[in-house]
Amino acid sequence: MNRAARVLRDNGLGLAFGGLFLLALAGQGVAGHAQYNDQQVAEGSDPVGLGDYLTSSSFAVDVVENWQSEYLQFFLYILATVWLVQRGSPESKELDETGTESDADQLVGPHARPDSPRWAHPGDWRTTVFSRSLGLVMGAVFLLSWAAQSVAGWAAYNAEQLGSRQDPVTWAGYLAEPDFWNRTLQNWQSELLAVGSMAVLAVFLRQRGSPESKPVGAAHGDTAMTG
């Protein structure tokens, strides 16, 4: 196998989802542009070009409001699975392994292996930061995308206000508007439902060959097993 083929194989999951993300984003841009222009015409306004739509607050808020909910989902799941378990789920740790576990279990400090990441070895603040880096990054991306949603949503909301000859609101005022919380909570509830459903359904259902599923013949009560 040549080097290019090996890179594609070794990174297939990330590359596939990255490609699907770009296709979906492009499709959203085209469909959103068509919908936006339909609304413009219905309101007696001129349609806009695709470039103008893609740089508009309307498109921006539609994109980032989904991003923030996705990263919230993973941020909460990463933290929750440290302490909470689900009997029989491959998405859960063993029932008696709640908490942050010992240094020996986590291969940090004197228990680090030669091939462990550099910051797993010292046992000082660097190890503390690295041992929580996934949650920190997911949480930071969630907060940044949520902040971006609030700004883009504020701009889109004020554009609608001005279009209907109503007074615009301040950014702080927009945070108290139903529009902001409707956009936020309609995404949160769907993500939380999906995560909870996955954890519970994986107790009783199987997907052969997937590491997100238990082996087909595993008992329903077997916990933390993957296929």
Side-chain angles (χ1 to χ4, degrees):
M1 181 182 294
N2 61 43
R3 183 174 181 179
R6 188 179 300 111
V7 169
L8 290 175
R9 183 203 64 186
D10 292 351
N11 300 281
L13 192 59
L15 290 172
F17 275 91
L20 290 171
F21 160 73
L22 293 176
L23 288 174
L25 185 63
Q28 179 185 351
V30 173
H33 174 237
Q35 181 185 27
Y36 184 83
N37 277 342
D38 286 344
Q39 184 176 351
Q40 288 286 97
V41 172
E43 295 174 351
S45 301
D46 294 330
V48 301
L50 179 60
D52 290 332
Y53 172 71
L54 295 179
T55 56
S56 70
S57 58
S58 179
F59 178 68
V61 70
D62 286 343
V63 171
V64 294
E65 73 180 32
N66 287 289
W67 290 4
Q68 60 89 4
S69 63
E70 295 292 343
Y71 280 96
L72 173 67
Q73 169 194 157
F74 286 111
F75 171 63
L76 291 179
Y77 196 64
I78 289 165
L79 293 186
T81 51
V82 174
W83 301 100
L84 303 178
V85 294
Q86 179 67 50
R87 181 181 179 88
S89 177
E91 300 293 318
S92 168
K93 296 194 294 185
E94 293 285 359
L95 303 181
D96 58 353
E97 293 180 358
T98 58
T100 55
E101 303 175 12
S102 67
D103 288 353
D105 290 333
Q106 290 293 310
L107 304 176
V108 298
H111 306 284
R113 302 182 312 203
D115 61 348
S116 295
R118 182 186 305 173
W119 279 27
H121 290 267
D124 55 14
W125 65 269
R126 289 168 293 180
T127 302
T128 299
V129 170
F130 183 66
S131 67
R132 293 163 175 80
S133 56
L134 182 59
L136 288 171
V137 170
M138 288 292 184
V141 175
F142 158 65
L143 291 175
L144 288 172
S145 57
W146 196 20
Q149 176 202 329
S150 73
V151 173
W154 171 46
Y157 182 81
N158 277 343
E160 293 180 1
Q161 289 288 98
L162 293 172
S164 57
R165 294 180 174 81
Q166 299 183 56
D167 293 333
V169 300
T170 64
W171 175 74
Y174 175 67
L175 297 184
E177 289 290 334
D179 181 80
F180 173 70
W181 288 105
N182 179 53
R183 287 180 178 276
T184 295
L185 295 174
Q186 69 177 331
N187 286 284
W188 287 8
Q189 54 87 14
S190 62
E191 302 302 337
L192 296 173
L193 175 64
V195 170
S197 298
M198 179 62 185
V200 174
L201 290 175
V203 175
F204 305 103
L205 305 178
R206 308 286 188 271
Q207 183 62 52
R208 184 169 184 156
S210 175
E212 299 302 313
S213 166
K214 293 185 289 189
V216 176
H220 290 327
D222 290 345
T223 307
M225 292 185 63
T226 61

